[in-house]
Amino acid sequence: MGLVKKGLRTLKDDGIRTFGRKSIQLGITKRYDLTSTNVYSRDWDILLILDGCRVDVMEAVADEYSFLGDEIESITSTGGGSPQWMANTFTSRYADAINETVYVTGNPHTRRVLGPDTKGLFGDVGGGVDRLEWFDSMVPVWELAWDEDTGTVPARPVTDHLLHTYRNTDADRYIAHYMQPHFPSVPDPVGASLDLADEARWENNIWDRLASGELSFERAWESYANNLRYVLDEVSLVLENVDSENVVLTADHGNAFGESGEYGHGQGFLREVREVPWVRTSGTDEGSYKPDIDRESVSTSLDEQLEALGYR
């Protein structure tokens, strides 16, 4: 077991122990399999994407959620950020499977990367093909339920639209792409939203504040873990309202908290960015929740949404 992972297994609810903190800040990292795994190469019926989730932060809260099991498995993501993950996941090789998939997504990169206009933030990663047409259907939750106060898409609207489509369609597969635990943290804000320039340079954001010491490691990690708990509570609700023996929790990418001097994501060479959870579980529909999808669209522009999340 790598030193970082071993240290982080000793986390407490109120933060991270000194051993794990020093391991991360020194950039101590274990080798990992560079061969990425496309989620379509694996078997699942419902795939829950927890945006920006590290493996070890999920390990840290695992004993609070029985559906996470005793050990968190992992895979290597197809990208170091959401745009690359989308571009490298929804490919022509898996077009038939994508055609059988309902994609419920709170991620505002979706249309820009997968649609015909591929002016991406990390280069034209989309390729100019309208891959949105490949899906059985796509629900753009980021257009329907953007929360200007938090600067992100809350988890509940994603849950609502997932359960609504699940109960009213007969697709073979469903993907719900939650925006948490990606900063900003909904239940535990730690200041300004992220601000990433088009050249992929982080400026005046939580990661810079963390690197400079303006924001403590313990405080940033606590906020990150609380944001994961927030979305895992939604996962609990989903699992009580679907009938499936084949539900998987994963992430599009992780985050660097100082390993090799890096912070945030986009660094495709780092294990902490590319290695993501892969948790198999199941759900039983108890009919305990009726989705609320009577939400008005907001006028916030796509650029404003991406800026709040730290991509412009």
Side-chain angles (χ1 to χ4, degrees):
M1 178 179 291
L3 187 55
V4 172
K5 183 174 290 187
K6 182 177 180 181
L8 291 177
R9 290 296 291 270
T10 63
L11 283 172
K12 289 184 176 179
D13 290 350
D14 60 352
I16 184 172
R17 292 179 187 263
T18 301
F19 178 74
R21 179 178 186 271
K22 288 184 177 179
S23 298
I24 286 179
Q25 290 185 334
L26 288 171
I28 303 172
T29 183
K30 72 180 181 68
R31 297 174 65 88
Y32 72 103
D33 186 359
L34 290 171
T35 304
S36 63
T37 299
N38 190 302
V39 296
Y40 279 105
S41 70
R42 295 201 168 191
D43 183 38
W44 48 268
D45 296 329
I46 300 175
L47 187 70
L48 305 179
I49 306 295
L50 310 185
D51 203 295
C53 186
R54 285 174 61 123
V55 175
D56 49 15
V57 72
M58 186 171 282
E59 289 178 329
V61 304
D63 61 354
E64 302 171 33
Y65 298 90
S66 60
F67 58 82
L68 294 180
D70 297 329
E71 183 176 355
I72 305 299
E73 297 183 6
S74 66
I75 61 172
T76 300
S77 171
T78 57
S82 298
Q84 299 95 333
W85 178 83
M86 290 179 189
N88 295 331
T89 294
F90 303 114
T91 66
S92 58
R93 177 179 180 180
Y94 298 102
D96 289 343
I98 296 169
N99 187 246
E100 300 170 345
T101 302
V102 171
Y103 187 25
V104 178
T105 173
N107 193 304
H109 284 298
T110 305
R111 195 179 300 283
R112 173 169 286 178
V113 175
L114 300 179
D117 182 8
T118 59
K119 294 181 180 178
L121 297 169
F122 300 93
D124 293 339
V125 297
V129 177
D130 189 357
R131 285 182 266 184
L132 295 177
E133 294 184 347
W134 296 358
F135 292 93
D136 178 283
S137 62
M138 188 274 290
V139 183
V141 186
W142 82 91
E143 293 180 351
L144 305 173
W146 181 264
D147 189 315
E148 294 186 12
D149 291 334
T150 59
T152 189
V153 178
R156 183 54 55 90
V158 177
T159 297
D160 285 342
H161 284 280
L162 169 62
L163 294 179
H164 177 77
T165 57
Y166 177 80
R167 291 174 177 173
N168 291 279
T169 64
D170 59 355
D172 289 346
R173 297 187 182 211
Y174 296 84
I175 297 176
H177 192 146
Y178 290 92
M179 283 310 300
Q180 292 75 36
H182 190 297
F183 287 110
S185 176
V186 175
D188 187 14
V190 287
S193 300
L194 310 182
D195 183 14
L196 179 62
D198 286 346
E199 295 82 8
R201 294 178 182 174
W202 293 94
E203 298 177 351
N204 303 318
N205 58 75
I206 187 173
W207 302 113
D208 283 341
R209 293 170 60 210
L210 180 59
S212 69
E214 177 186 344
L215 181 68
S216 73
F217 180 95
E218 290 83 358
R219 185 67 187 95
W221 187 271
E222 177 185 42
S223 175
Y224 185 51
N226 285 337
N227 211 26
L228 177 57
R229 292 183 177 99
Y230 164 78
V231 72
L232 288 176
D233 289 344
E234 291 297 310
V235 171
S236 296
L237 184 62
V238 169
L239 297 179
E240 294 172 1
N241 287 275
V242 297
D243 276 319
S244 177
E245 294 296 322
N246 201 5
V247 182
V248 169
L249 281 66
T250 189
D252 50 354
H253 59 82
N255 275 304
F257 269 76
E259 296 86 354
S260 300
E262 300 288 345
Y263 293 85
H265 51 275
Q267 309 92 338
F269 62 91
L270 282 179
R271 175 182 68 88
E272 290 76 14
V273 173
R274 291 289 299 280
E275 188 177 67
V276 295
W278 186 264
V279 177
R280 292 191 174 276
T281 186
S282 61
T284 301
D285 191 356
E286 302 172 0
S288 62
Y289 180 71
K290 181 179 179 180
D292 175 14
I293 60 169
D294 295 328
R295 301 175 184 272
E296 296 181 0
S297 297
V298 296
S299 58
T300 307
S301 71
L302 176 59
D303 285 345
E304 290 173 324
Q305 293 169 358
L306 290 171
E307 181 178 1
L309 293 168
Y311 288 102
R312 292 190 66 81

